[in-house]
Amino acid sequence: MATKVPINDPMIDPRTGEYAVIAPGHNFKSVTQKIAGLVLTSNTPLGWFFGLMVAGGVASLVVIAVTWLFLKGVGIWGITMPGAWGFAIINFVWWIGIGHAGTLISAILLLFKQTWRNSINRFAEAMTIFAVVCAGMFPLLHVGRPWLGYWLFPYPNTMNIWPQFRSPLAWDVFAVSTYATISVVFWYIGMIPDFGTLRDRATLPLARYFYGILSLGWRGSTRHWIRYETASLLLAGLSTPLVLSVHTVISFDFAVAALAGWHTTIFPPYFVAGAVYSGFAMVLTLAIPIRKWYHMEDLVTLRHLDNMAKVMLATGSIVAYGYGMEVFMSWYSASHWEFFMMWNRMFGPMWWGYWMLILTNIAIPLTTLWSRKLRVNVGYLFVLSFIVNIGMWFERFVIVVTSLYREYLPSSWGTYVATKWDYMLFIGTWGLFTCLFLLFVRFLPMIPMSEIRMMLPQTKITRGGPTAETVSEEMS
Amino acid sequence: MAQVFDRSSNALARMSLVLAGLIVIALGVALNQLQRSPWVTKQGQRPDQPIPFSHKHHVEGVGLQCQYCHVQVEKAGYAGIPPTKTCMNCHAQIWTNAEYLEPVRQSWATGASIQWIRVHDLPDFVYFNHDIHVNKGIGCASCHGRVDEMPLMYQQNTLQMEWCLNCHRNPAVNLRPTSEIYNMAWAGPSTTKPVVCTSTNKGGPTAQNVSCEVATEEAAVPAGYTKFTSQIELGKYLTAQYHIRTPNELSSCETCHR
């Protein structure tokens, strides 16, 4: 394979003939300096402060919206009967979906030994956790009596009452709390070697203590590494079924119900595909500014963007298949209500939701992503990532709202109009997400140094390649 | 460069692991204890009543039967607190000058109700019904404790849902003959104090078909009677005779939460 590509391609490792994932010219020290330097610098970029200020301001909307919600009740939202689920559920599914790409990158791509994941997995995992934080609020907030939310957990109580384990909403509690826990553990374990590096490079005593405690006495011995790799692989093996089941459980919230438009067996895989689709869009949204502002073009290369766009193309096609099947089945079922549901989605009062979804999720991305030229066009990808995230939001909007507001009985048809409190909480979660992400970028290693170091050509042992002496020379 | 953490950190790190585990366990145990503590359930608390009414004096001392004051207990869901009229039946003549009976006389003179403080206060989403319990063989003392020994009224049991459900799931352990409902000292049948019961089997709906007596160890069992020497045997018999419904029905939500 090495002979088929032009020999002077800078992305080809001259020693092994393999396609490099990161740009050439790095050695162990330069990678470490570059990534650790961002954290340990005393010169925080002004833009970071500005960003944190803006994001914090937006995040304060959450506080306002939640305070008013707790004071007045869920009636401040646009939910009515029959449309009793609205923005809260749409946003919940949307945020959870975004988180899934992080786990896909960190776990599934690890199982497939995709080394290109190494540059992006850390901030993709961070994205997962912060998205789960945003998502996790909604199930609690959208209940009328949030102070009794703990009743959803099975604990021995004086009422002799346990949760109903047949409800997918109870499964949500277990799915999301397990997902959040495993994601945090996986993320943290991945960072331990990097914390060790930061501890050793920090000059401020406070930073030394901070990263020293976080690194848990990591010395990087062979025994450490063997166990670290085993643990990572095990966690990846555990997270993979987890990520598939979590969004499956969330799709059950709808698919288990008897509503036309919800009661569909295609939901579990199609929701998961949609989650990965929107999640990768969000990774692009984050990766593109990061590589530009922090000059990471050599670590997050065009090849990464190209690969991510390809995953989006694949999952987007699955989602498109899902839409197609829904339309086909609503005709093929010969069910009056199924047929009306689809007709209403396309041509009813909320037709714009459906066509917006087709436009932003199918029409624009799936026609353009086939072109390699556009897949490596950073500006285009950045815009596209927003388009897909809008589209995936509309997907949940269409599923939740257009199935609910016109259901079996025409006498209980209503409509759904979101209020300013719906928007305020949704926009507020963007601010919260951005805030958390900015803090992550400043205080934690946003690209796994240890994993990037392992990708360097210097680690490859080939005939005529570097000897131990030359490697240690490069390291010093 | 000096070490970041000195040797003592080893001990601290190990201790923090143990401590974290202990904190989690302690928190769990504490919360579990707290939700059942008298501080939460108000068991044993004696609020300041307008008149220090003594059940001990009126039941044990005077020998009044419970229904003399709580007249509706067999017929209505709410057992009722006696009106001032009931007090004045006697206290128009007895202790007419007692200082602590002044609120009763005031109430009688003005017509204003005495503001008793409720000791057994269930939330309003629980529809507790006294008459069904009394008529199906649950004695006063099973729920309210030995009221005849209480100078001031207090709550004996938790009144928590698990406490109600424990009995609704296994009523036999608390059932007694309806003739013994108001017997505060009832202790259940034993080998020295067996209970003999007979059923007229008229097919009527409730306890009225069953007649039980406390016998002595030596006495012969009359014809048609069954002898019981343990609460479990008696409870099973009474469950069948009183037509007490199955635990599934009795612990269904609509039994108490309507």
Side-chain angles (χ1 to χ4, degrees), chain A residues 182-195:
Chain A
I182 295 290
S183 298
V184 170
V185 168
F186 199 8
W187 188 53
Y188 179 67
I189 288 186
M191 282 194 287
I192 288 177
D194 283 2
F195 285 141

Side-chain angles (χ1 to χ4, degrees), chain B residues 22-250:
Chain B
L22 284 180
I23 285 172
V24 170
I25 294 169
L27 209 65
V29 171
L31 284 173
N32 192 38
Q33 292 298 313
L34 182 73
Q35 63 176 349
R36 294 183 174 86
S37 68
W39 186 70
V40 170
T41 62
K42 298 191 172 149
Q43 276 165 284
Q45 295 179 14
R46 297 159 178 78
D48 262 342
Q49 301 284 2
I51 304 142
F53 178 82
S54 167
H55 275 93
K56 184 179 165 70
H57 168 70
H58 289 86
V59 181
E60 196 183 59
V62 181
L64 294 178
Q65 180 131 349
C66 308
Q67 312 103 295
Y68 178 75
C69 299
H70 304 287
V71 285
Q72 310 170 66
V73 72
E74 286 172 6
K75 297 184 179 61
Y78 182 56
I81 288 178
T84 310
K85 172 79 174 65
T86 310
C87 308
M88 292 306 282
N89 285 348
C90 298
H91 289 293
Q93 309 281 330
I94 310 168
W95 300 107
T96 47
N97 292 323
E99 198 182 320
Y100 58 76
L101 288 177
E102 182 55 28
V104 182
R105 292 188 293 271
Q106 276 292 324
S107 163
W108 187 242
T110 62
S113 299
I114 303 172
Q115 301 291 314
W116 295 105
I117 292 163
R118 193 167 189 175
V119 175
H120 295 82
D121 197 4
L122 285 179
D124 289 349
F125 51 77
V126 184
Y127 296 93
F128 180 79
N129 192 320
H130 269 95
D131 66 27
I132 191 72
H133 290 89
V134 170
N135 287 314
K136 295 270 187 183
I138 299 295
C140 307
S142 299
C143 303
H144 293 290
R146 289 297 296 271
V147 177
D148 60 326
E149 291 172 356
M150 294 182 188
L152 284 173
M153 193 61 199
Y154 60 86
Q155 183 183 314
Q156 173 80 37
N157 287 302
T158 65
L159 306 193
Q160 280 169 331
M161 190 161 148
E162 62 177 1
W163 175 75
C164 300
L165 282 174
N166 281 345
C167 186
H168 274 211
R169 285 173 179 155
N170 186 17
V173 294
N174 287 315
L175 290 179
R176 60 172 81 176
T178 41
S179 53
E180 304 292 334
I181 293 293
Y182 307 102
N183 178 2
M184 282 291 157
W186 167 264
S190 61
T191 43
T192 52
K193 269 190 167 181
V195 171
V196 291
C197 293
T198 187
S199 159
T200 53
N201 272 330
K202 278 187 225 151
T206 59
Q208 313 315 320
N209 300 325
V210 188
S211 160
C212 294
E213 279 165 38
V214 182
T216 53
E217 198 177 358
E218 306 82 31
V221 183
Y225 278 76
T226 320
K227 182 177 167 182
F228 299 99
T229 52
S230 80
Q231 174 63 42
I232 291 301
E233 285 170 44
L234 178 70
K236 278 182 189 162
Y237 173 79
L238 291 178
T239 305
Q241 295 298 322
Y242 293 170
H243 304 298
I244 287 173
R245 290 202 244 166
T246 61
N248 259 356
E249 290 173 284
L250 286 182

Side-chain angles (χ1 to χ4, degrees), chain A residues 151-334:
Chain A
W151 284 7
L152 283 162
F153 290 97
Y155 71 100
N157 57 49
T158 61
M159 303 177 290
N160 269 4
I161 276 186
W162 290 71
Q164 170 58 280
F165 290 111
R166 285 184 287 192
S167 164
L169 300 176
W171 308 340
D172 273 358
V173 175
F174 305 115
V176 176
S177 54
T178 311
Y179 188 49
T181 316
I182 295 290
S183 298
V184 170
V185 168
F186 199 8
W187 188 53
Y188 179 67
I189 288 186
M191 282 194 287
I192 288 177
D194 283 2
F195 285 141
T197 306
L198 290 175
R199 167 201 61 197
D200 296 342
R201 297 182 67 88
T203 44
L204 288 175
L206 191 69
R208 275 217 306 264
Y209 275 111
F210 179 68
Y211 295 112
I213 288 171
L214 286 178
S215 65
L216 302 177
W218 177 266
R219 297 189 311 277
S221 72
T222 310
R223 204 183 292 188
H224 282 178
W225 277 112
I226 290 168
R227 287 179 184 161
Y228 171 86
E229 295 288 351
T230 312
S232 301
L233 211 58
L234 278 174
L235 277 171
L238 285 172
S239 305
T240 303
L242 187 68
V243 70
L244 300 180
S245 65
V246 166
H247 220 65
T248 295
V249 163
I250 284 157
S251 81
F252 283 160
D253 293 350
F254 307 99
V256 164
L259 208 64
W262 283 11
H263 193 64
T264 316
T265 51
I266 202 174
F267 267 16
Y270 142 67
F271 263 56
V272 173
V276 175
Y277 189 35
S278 68
F280 266 91
M282 192 57 128
V283 178
L284 281 179
T285 311
L286 296 170
I288 290 168
I290 279 183
R291 73 193 285 273
K292 181 159 174 59
W293 291 337
Y294 288 100
H295 309 294
M296 288 293 177
E297 283 94 345
D298 47 349
L299 296 178
V300 182
T301 58
L302 287 180
R303 181 151 179 234
H304 288 102
L305 303 185
D306 185 29
N307 281 351
M308 285 194 271
K310 280 178 184 165
V311 176
M312 277 176 69
L313 181 61
T315 49
S317 305
I318 300 174
V319 170
Y321 172 80
Y323 297 158
M325 254 323 124
E326 274 191 317
V327 176
F328 172 71
M329 279 299 165
S330 56
W331 167 76
Y332 189 63
S333 66

